[in-house]
Amino acid sequence: MTTPDHQSPASRPVVPAARDRIYRSPMGLVGGVLVLALVVWLGCDALFRGHGRVPWLALAVMILVVPLVTAFTLRPAVFANQERLRVRNPFRVIVLPWGELATFRSGYSNEALATSGTKFQLWAIPVSLRARKRAANKRARAAAQAARGSRGGPFAGPRFGMFGGDASVPDVSAGPARAETDKIMDDLRDLHERHGEAEHAQGEITTRWAYEILIPALAGAVLLAVLLITG
């Protein structure tokens, strides 16, 4: 018999798993769908209307290209919760408990650095230098406008916007302008800071190869090579 203070494992309430925050590249998804549609359209046209070796070549190219396009556009994603960071790159899936993560690094690419020194690129969160430049220009314009409003002058006075309020100084209550991918990296750093020392965020780093991508692509490459050699 169990007491109220010592419940059996079967009677303990199940703690729901933390939901993942999912980060993906919208432009990568759109580009991947368009490229796949083009490849399938051209490939099927050659497959059903071609003559001689053309249908076989079209089949080999499709078997090779479709997995590769999927790997680099539709597949990449980053999943984060209170326990770990799961990185789904084109050919690998890396699970990083927060306790094994040292820091994030953002340069020309966004990377996660493990405590062992190993770095993992985050394909799903690409760096946009153009977006960073736009954000920097927006911050510079806001700072210049704020400086002009604070200096004032003989004719200085409050200017009222369309919906009222002082429009002489921009509203910066929402914080500095940031590129979207930099905001995502800020979110991941915040999760790491909050859960890096927690007991539930400890463990080992695991890596799994994406055989569902590699095997079809390899089969298509072998078939295409055989067709070209024997042609």
Side-chain angles (χ1 to χ4, degrees):
M1 178 182 296
T2 60
T3 63
D5 295 332
H6 298 85
Q7 294 181 345
S8 65
S11 62
R12 292 174 185 169
V14 178
V15 179
R19 295 186 60 182
D20 284 338
R21 299 184 187 182
I22 305 175
Y23 304 96
R24 311 184 75 169
S25 171
M27 293 304 297
L29 295 175
V30 173
V33 170
L34 293 178
V35 173
L36 284 176
L38 180 62
V39 169
V40 171
W41 175 46
L42 295 177
C44 289
D45 183 72
L47 191 63
F48 295 109
R49 297 187 181 184
H51 302 283
R53 295 164 54 86
V54 172
W56 286 103
L57 288 171
L59 179 62
V61 170
M62 289 178 64
I63 295 176
L64 171 62
V65 172
V66 168
L68 293 180
V69 173
T70 302
F72 285 98
T73 58
L74 305 184
R75 177 179 169 80
V78 171
F79 306 86
N81 61 26
Q82 297 178 0
E83 299 176 356
R84 51 92 182 117
L85 179 75
R86 183 162 65 95
V87 181
R88 193 171 69 190
N89 281 342
F91 302 119
R92 289 194 302 173
V93 177
I94 305 103
V95 177
L96 283 156
W98 291 120
E100 291 296 319
L101 183 66
T103 186
F104 290 99
R105 184 168 61 189
S106 298
Y108 292 103
S109 64
N110 289 313
E111 298 171 340
L113 275 69
T115 54
S116 62
T118 308
K119 64 179 181 180
F120 303 97
Q121 187 172 351
L122 307 181
W123 282 80
I125 311 175
V127 170
S128 174
L129 298 180
R130 180 177 298 179
R132 282 184 179 175
K133 185 177 181 180
R134 285 199 303 264
N137 291 337
K138 185 176 180 180
R139 290 196 300 269
R141 288 195 301 268
Q145 187 176 351
R148 288 195 300 269
S150 62
R151 283 197 302 267
F155 302 101
R159 299 193 303 272
F160 297 96
M162 182 179 300
F163 300 101
D166 187 358
S168 59
V169 179
D171 180 15
V172 294
S173 59
R178 299 270 286 167
E180 189 62 32
T181 54
D182 290 336
K183 293 179 183 178
I184 293 175
M185 295 303 292
D186 290 341
D187 290 342
L188 295 179
R189 290 187 181 95
D190 179 66
L191 282 171
H192 178 227
E193 290 176 0
R194 286 192 283 118
H195 303 290
E197 302 296 331
E199 183 179 356
H200 61 263
Q202 309 305 312
E204 295 183 356
I205 299 175
T206 60
T207 302
R208 180 183 69 83
W209 289 98
Y211 294 107
E212 64 275 16
I213 296 291
L214 295 172
I215 292 176
L218 181 60
V222 171
L223 178 58
L224 182 61
V226 170
L227 291 173
L228 295 176
I229 291 173
T230 58

